[in-house]
Amino acid sequence: MALAPVQTARQLPRWSELRDVVQFKKPWLSRLERANSVRDLRDLARRTTPRAVFDYVDGAAEEEITAARNVAAYRRVTFLSETLRSVADPDPSVPLLGRRIAMPLMFAPTGYTRMMHHHGEAAVAEVAQHVGVPYALSTVGSTSIEDVRAASPDGDLWFQLYLTPDPKVNEDLLSRAEAAGYTTILLTVDTTVSGMRLRDVVNGLTIPPTLTARTVLNMSRFPRWWFNKLTTGGMTFASLAGVPGKPSPAEVASMMFDPGLDLQALDRLRVRWRGNLVVKGVTTPASAREALERGADGVVVSNHGGRQLDRSPATLDVLPAIRAELGPAATVLIDGGVLHGQDILAARALGADAVMIGRAYLYGLMAGGRDGVLRTVELLAGEYQRSMQLLGVRRSEDLSGRHVAFHPSLSDLGSHDGQYPLSGGFLPDQVPARTRGAGDAGAAGELP
Ligand code: FNR
């Protein structure tokens, strides 16, 4: 049986009714305010920064397998929420090495940060102090130990140390970090030699730069970046300006990679440095345990953002085993692939005290200088707190393994005792000549 046609009662259009329900986006919102995620900031960074610089940040070693794994691992996490728990008055803060930080996040050390944006390390340190989390300055930073302290007079500053083969250089760095009130030495241990980042080789972003015509042409499309670069002082390894013998930048860079770095070096550093000492760059329970047994106060589960040994495991995949090995009291941080507040939530639930972010804040920095870094933290903090509350958790400290389902993709971690068969190996003399040449250049002249 057919229905009668629908009768729609109509009126003359009344725009005032529409105005009540539709808010138009404010046209004066800045590009940063319009970025709704770190991924948006990355897109913005790509549009505002020369390709070679963006690639230096975004790229990773060899085939970039580990960098992709880092990110992908967070996407395998499933949250299991608890209902009917009050999450009013949420508290994202956590204790870390005797202090309380605003949320389980801190800024990882990144070299040459003034290349990404002229605001550089000082801006990142300023934001870190403003939001109440630590900032780690790199040995190869483009702002000195003292200048970063000036930008962050009350901030919790850490100094990332590349132990060089020259004890005088190491001592100079340590005593200056001590004098400037840095609380923690972050000893990076995954850089015995330089990783091979092919994007940098292709773009010619090595030390000294060997820029291609294509790179120069691309750079000419970013006059604002150039103007800022040329009017804010040259790029140097600012904390290493006093290295005796006036070595060239290439020689300084190669000093940062010490193939002789061993456990005795850690022992000597432990004796010398009375503040907190954290070892950055472990990816197995055995190495993490060894670092703590030698007196380190904590470890960072890190593969250098996939920039050193490609095909290393995703850091999230090894985190639960490392936490299990070290027990609940040890300080365990993680980095690599954190681009969303939910990643921080997952890392915390799976055993990390806090995460370090690297690229996430560099995308913000490239996109908008200091305010871009602040926008990164605003976005991550919003995502983190909102998701924590939806998970039924009021305090960061109450997050635990029962809030996530996650199956590490490595089940035999540490059980093989190093006895993998060497089947069908890719021996050095089989490396194609073009790659081998690039490798040689990289060993001497990669940016650290
Ligand atoms: C780094 N990283 C790094 N680590 C370190 O110990 N000393 C350094 O000088 C640098 N320099 C550096 C430069 C750039 C451009 C990047 C992206 C990274 C590694 C960094 O501290 C951290 O381990 C990773 O960045 C973490 O991974 P995500 O967050 O970038 O994925």
Side-chain angles (χ1 to χ4, degrees):
M1 191 172 59
L3 292 171
V6 175
Q7 299 291 322
T8 304
R10 294 193 186 276
Q11 62 180 24
L12 284 171
R14 284 189 207 142
W15 299 114
S16 58
E17 285 175 2
L18 197 61
R19 205 176 48 224
D20 289 344
V21 287
V22 179
Q23 297 278 318
F24 288 99
K25 209 164 211 167
K26 300 184 186 81
W28 59 85
L29 276 188
S30 72
R31 290 190 304 182
L32 288 177
E33 285 168 317
R34 266 179 273 156
N36 293 315
S37 65
V38 170
R39 285 181 166 82
D40 285 352
L41 289 174
R42 178 175 178 271
D43 288 344
L44 193 51
R46 198 206 288 272
R47 279 183 267 129
T48 49
T49 317
R51 168 81 180 267
V53 176
F54 179 82
D55 275 352
Y56 170 60
V57 171
D58 199 60
E62 312 284 351
E63 297 176 273
E64 305 194 351
I65 293 169
T66 292
R69 272 183 193 165
N70 280 344
V71 175
Y74 282 103
R75 302 192 151 236
R76 301 204 316 272
V77 169
T78 303
F79 287 131
L80 307 169
S81 57
E82 292 179 326
T83 46
L84 294 171
R85 304 277 187 285
S86 169
V87 290
D89 193 21
D91 179 6
S93 73
V94 290
L96 185 68
L97 291 170
R99 293 172 171 233
R100 185 156 281 275
I101 62 175
M103 67 179 286
L105 168 147
M106 66 170 286
F107 292 94
T110 56
Y112 254 50
T113 310
R114 279 179 51 232
M115 180 170 70
M116 287 47 130
H117 188 281
H118 64 285
H119 290 173
E121 289 88 354
V124 188
E126 187 188 342
V127 171
Q129 172 177 320
H130 180 69
V131 299
V133 300
Y135 169 72
L137 172 65
S138 164
T139 294
V140 290
S142 45
T143 309
S144 72
I145 292 173
E146 294 76 14
D147 288 348
V148 166
R149 172 51 84 197
S152 167
D154 303 316
D156 183 6
L157 295 179
W158 296 21
F159 185 69
Q160 176 269 324
L161 184 66
Y162 282 131
L163 271 178
T164 74
D166 184 344
K168 282 203 229 61
V169 173
N170 304 333
E171 179 50 38
D172 177 62
L173 292 169
L174 287 167
S175 52
R176 286 164 60 201
E178 205 164 37
Y182 284 57
T183 61
T184 305
I185 290 293
L186 193 57
L187 176 67
T188 299
V189 295
D190 54 12
T191 47
T192 45
V193 297
S194 165
M196 167 48 62
R197 295 191 295 275
L198 292 176
R199 292 200 218 182
D200 296 347
V201 174
V202 170
N203 293 329
L205 200 74
T206 47
I207 298 179
T210 50
L211 302 184
T212 59
R214 193 190 69 136
T215 302
V216 174
L217 199 67
N218 172 272
M219 284 182 149
S220 67
R221 288 179 33 218
F222 299 90
R224 186 208 282 248
W225 182 90
W226 273 113
F227 177 76
N228 286 326
K229 203 69 12 228
L230 295 173
T231 55
T232 56
M235 290 285 303
T236 56
F237 296 128
S239 296
L240 295 162
V243 172
K246 295 253 173 290
S248 69
E251 285 162 340
V252 175
S254 68
M255 280 173 77
M256 300 303 123
F257 305 105
D258 180 6
L261 189 71
D262 59 11
L263 285 169
Q264 284 67 45
L266 174 58
D267 291 341
R268 287 191 294 276
L269 180 62
R270 181 65 288 183
V271 171
R272 164 64 184 85
W273 180 261
R274 299 321 307 157
N276 299 322
L277 175 57
V278 174
V279 170
K280 172 175 182 279
V282 301
T283 53
T284 62
S287 300
R289 164 158 296 287
E290 216 164 37
L292 291 203
E293 280 171 358
R294 300 286 177 136
D297 298 295
V299 292
V300 186
V301 180
S302 173
N303 51 37
H304 217 102
R307 298 164 74 82
Q308 285 294 108
L309 177 63
D310 199 21
R311 300 184 196 228
S312 300
T315 47
L316 195 69
D317 273 326
V318 293
L319 173 68
I322 291 178
R323 168 57 77 192
E325 175 78 13
L326 301 184
T331 296
V332 178
L333 293 110
I334 185 173
D335 73 16
V338 174
L339 295 171
H340 194 283
Q342 292 200 332
D343 300 341
I344 307 172
L345 203 62
R348 175 87 203 166
L350 288 165
D353 290 289
V355 307
M356 285 189 174
I357 51 169
R359 293 184 184 86
Y361 78 80
L362 291 178
Y363 294 140
L365 186 71
M366 289 188 284
R370 185 197 63 183
D371 295 346
V373 177
L374 187 58
R375 184 73 182 139
T376 301
V377 180
E378 270 171 17
L379 289 167
L380 292 176
E383 291 157 355
Y384 178 81
Q385 179 162 313
R386 177 166 70 243
S387 305
M388 182 174 85
Q389 289 174 290
L390 289 169
L391 197 52
V393 177
R394 191 181 77 77
R395 306 182 322 146
S396 286
E397 285 179 76
D398 295 336
L399 274 163
S400 77
R402 70 175 188 283
H403 298 112
V404 286
F406 179 70
H407 301 289
S409 70
L410 293 167
S411 52
D412 62 345
L413 200 64
S415 60
H416 51 77
D417 200 24
Q419 299 302 310
Y420 285 123
L422 281 171
S423 60
F426 195 60
L427 300 173
D429 59 359
Q430 293 173 278
V431 175
R434 202 178 66 79
T435 317
R436 195 166 59 235
D440 293 341
E446 280 266 355
L447 283 169

